[in-house]
Amino acid sequence: MALRYALMAALHEAPATGYELTQRFRSRLANVWNASHQQVYRELARLLEDNKLLVETVAQSDKPDKKRYHLTIAGRKDLEEWLNTPQPRPPVRDPLLVKLFAGDLLDSDVLKEDIEKLKQDWLAQLGYFRSIEHTYFRQPSALSRQYRLQYMALRRGITQITAGLEWLEELETTLEELDDAP
Amino acid sequence: MALRYALMAALHEAPATGYELTQRFRSRLANVWNASHQQVYRELARLLEDNKLLVETVAQSDKPDKKRYHLTIAGRKDLEEWLNTPQPRPPVRDPLLVKLFAGDLLDSDVLKEDIEKLKQDWLAQLGYFRSIEHTYFRQPSALSRQYRLQYMALRRGITQITAGLEWLEELETTLEELDDAP
DNA sequence: CCTTACATGTAACAAGTTACATGATTAG
DNA sequence: CTAATCATGTAACTTGTTACATGTAAGG
């Protein structure tokens, strides 16, 4: 159910095509919501069917036409209702922690590779989030309520990754200790 | 695919019934993996079908019989292979952040209730994790590799929630500022 | 009497993933 | 010539959720 509203929230910010929405999920919304392009197109079709959206076909000279979706009044109302009703918190399902849990069957070198990979991913993501913070949210106190709340969504991503990186350090230290005194 | 391995990892630690596995997912594994009892029973049936598990029927005097599942050699081998191959990191899908992203449609009082609820949930969870830490992982340096890695899985839960609570404070401060100077 | 814990499932449906499909343009 | 970006989809499959179903025992 929530994908619908993630899409509507993104379209409420600004009308967009399925392609652009997919990109937003992968970039600015990476710490908020995730969806593949297949999911996006399918759900957009349903939202359109339910009259929550309108399409505007944008002709392009060289590239194929694209469909820009807009929230309708009904869509906005629907979104507003959802926003103001309690939502569950996300379920936790982390393969890396499953691995650690069965740590006695886990090879140390494989684990170290996993850690290194994850660290690189997180650092890249953190760099990206910080660049957004720097360019759009320099003095938060000057921002409108809307943007301050968006900023807090971004802050969540930054603090989460920062805590994740600290934990990775802790994990690496543990592995070194285990290597030294086996 | 990963539910299979989460179950196998849990059964590798100790044989258990579907009921017990469901409970573990809700308690000790709350920061690792999540699954409803329906999912657990369905997947256990599949694992049994694939000869990754064995059942032992445990007769009980007053309560109905229960089925205790054990990992087979094939199951253990399968798990080991999975553990030593790279796994994707969990996708991010957080309804609360979707709400913040569309913050201009969000009522402040509703948001404050969400925050309060989440804080209570997290505090309870943190208390629980800390109690495990205190009773089972007092001097980590004395522990075997297996338990030190399990401890690091627990540490992930503790550090994640701690960071989450700090972020919630930041969010509350922001809301107060917005209330004071509208 | 009512709820919670114990104990195990089936069925229908919604959400998410993977594979396949097509076609143009731009950069290396 | 090859890969990447833009742009949109269909189909099959797997995973996860919700609703329904049943029965015992203990505690308030």
Side-chain angles (χ1 to χ4, degrees):
Chain A
M1 233 359 23
L3 169 60
R4 282 181 92 79
Y5 299 100
L7 280 168
M8 284 197 261
L11 289 173
H12 170 67
E13 198 201 14
T17 65
Y19 188 81
E20 287 161 1
L21 288 164
T22 308
Q23 285 182 127
R24 278 193 221 170
F25 282 142
R26 273 203 301 257
S27 56
R28 252 178 57 236
L29 294 175
N31 69 125
V32 174
W33 202 268
N34 174 278
S36 63
H37 81 268
Q38 293 91 335
Q39 246 189 312
V40 168
Y41 287 121
R42 182 171 56 186
E43 199 61 39
L44 283 174
R46 285 176 188 162
L47 283 164
L48 194 66
E49 173 82 20
D50 296 345
N51 303 311
K52 311 299 179 185
L53 304 182
L54 281 177
V55 222
E56 166 201 2
T57 305
V58 181
Q60 295 183 120
S61 50
D62 37 9
K63 290 170 209 164
D65 290 4
K66 57 184 179 182
K67 300 179 182 176
R68 174 142 46 230
Y69 292 89
H70 301 251
L71 252 195
T72 62
I73 308 290
R76 214 207 68 153
K77 212 180 140 192
D78 208 27
L79 171 61
E80 207 170 342
E81 258 170 52
W82 182 86
L83 290 171
N84 289 300
T85 151
Q87 299 305 326
R89 56 196 178 105
V92 178
R93 289 186 190 104
D94 191 334
L96 177 59
L97 299 188
V98 173
K99 287 186 175 196
L100 293 180
F101 198 77
D104 54 325
L105 299 180
L106 184 60
D107 183 84
S108 273
D109 291 332
V110 172
L111 178 55
K112 279 173 195 163
E113 280 170 43
D114 284 359
I115 290 171
E116 192 49 39
K117 174 72 167 54
L118 183 56
K119 193 194 272 189
Q120 293 314 316
D121 285 1
W122 273 347
L123 283 171
Q125 184 119 102
L126 184 59
Y128 173 65
F129 285 156
R130 281 207 199 288
S131 77
I132 298 177
E133 189 178 36
H134 194 259
T135 61
Y136 295 104
F137 302 103
R138 270 172 161 275
Q139 344 73 304
S141 54
L143 264 41
S144 68
R145 181 170 175 283
Q146 174 177 190
Y147 290 118
R148 290 205 74 172
L149 294 181
Q150 277 201 10
Y151 177 50
M152 285 314 296
L154 179 66
R155 285 291 303 158
R156 176 71 170 137
I158 292 173
T159 57
Q160 245 173 339
I161 293 177
T162 304
L165 286 167
E166 278 167 29
W167 173 77
L168 270 190
E169 294 285 316
E170 209 178 317
L171 180 54
E172 280 179 322
T173 306
T174 297
L175 287 176
E176 274 164 37
E177 279 181 39
L178 287 168
D179 279 350
D180 290 351
Chain B
M1 242 341 41
L3 169 61
R4 281 179 93 80
Y5 299 100
L7 281 168
M8 284 197 260
L11 290 173
H12 170 67
E13 199 201 13
T17 66
Y19 188 81
E20 286 161 0
L21 288 164
T22 308
Q23 284 182 128
R24 281 194 218 169
F25 282 141
R26 273 203 301 257
S27 55
R28 253 178 58 235
L29 294 175
N31 69 123
V32 173
W33 202 268
N34 174 277
S36 64
H37 81 268
Q38 293 91 334
Q39 248 189 309
V40 169
Y41 287 120
R42 183 173 56 183
E43 199 61 39
L44 283 174
R46 286 175 187 163
L47 283 163
L48 194 65
E49 173 81 20
D50 295 346
N51 302 309
K52 310 299 180 186
L53 305 182
L54 282 177
V55 221
E56 166 202 3
T57 305
V58 181
Q60 295 183 120
S61 50
D62 36 9
K63 290 170 209 165
D65 290 3
K66 58 183 176 181
K67 299 179 183 178
R68 176 143 44 228
Y69 293 89
H70 301 252
L71 253 196
T72 61
I73 307 289
R76 214 207 68 155
K77 214 180 136 189
D78 209 28
L79 172 60
E80 208 170 342
E81 259 171 53
W82 183 87
L83 290 172
N84 289 300
T85 151
Q87 299 305 326
R89 57 197 179 104
V92 178
R93 290 189 188 101
D94 191 334
L96 177 58
L97 299 188
V98 172
K99 287 187 175 194
L100 293 180
F101 198 78
D104 54 324
L105 299 179
L106 184 61
D107 184 85
S108 273
D109 292 331
V110 172
L111 178 55
K112 279 173 194 161
E113 280 170 43
D114 285 359
I115 290 171
E116 193 48 40
K117 175 71 166 50
L118 182 56
K119 193 194 273 190
Q120 293 314 317
D121 285 1
W122 274 346
L123 283 171
Q125 185 120 102
L126 184 59
Y128 172 66
F129 286 155
R130 281 207 199 288
S131 78
I132 298 176
E133 189 178 36
H134 194 260
T135 59
Y136 296 103
F137 303 103
R138 271 173 162 274
Q139 344 68 307
S141 54
L143 263 43
S144 68
R145 182 170 175 283
Q146 172 176 193
Y147 289 118
R148 290 204 73 172
L149 293 181
Q150 276 201 11
Y151 177 49
M152 286 313 297
L154 179 66
R155 286 291 302 158
R156 176 70 171 138
I158 292 173
T159 57
Q160 246 174 338
I161 293 177
T162 305
L165 287 167
E166 277 167 29
W167 172 77
L168 271 190
E169 294 285 315
E170 209 179 317
L171 180 54
E172 280 179 322
T173 306
T174 298
L175 287 176
E176 275 165 36
E177 279 181 41
L178 286 168
D179 279 353
D180 290 352

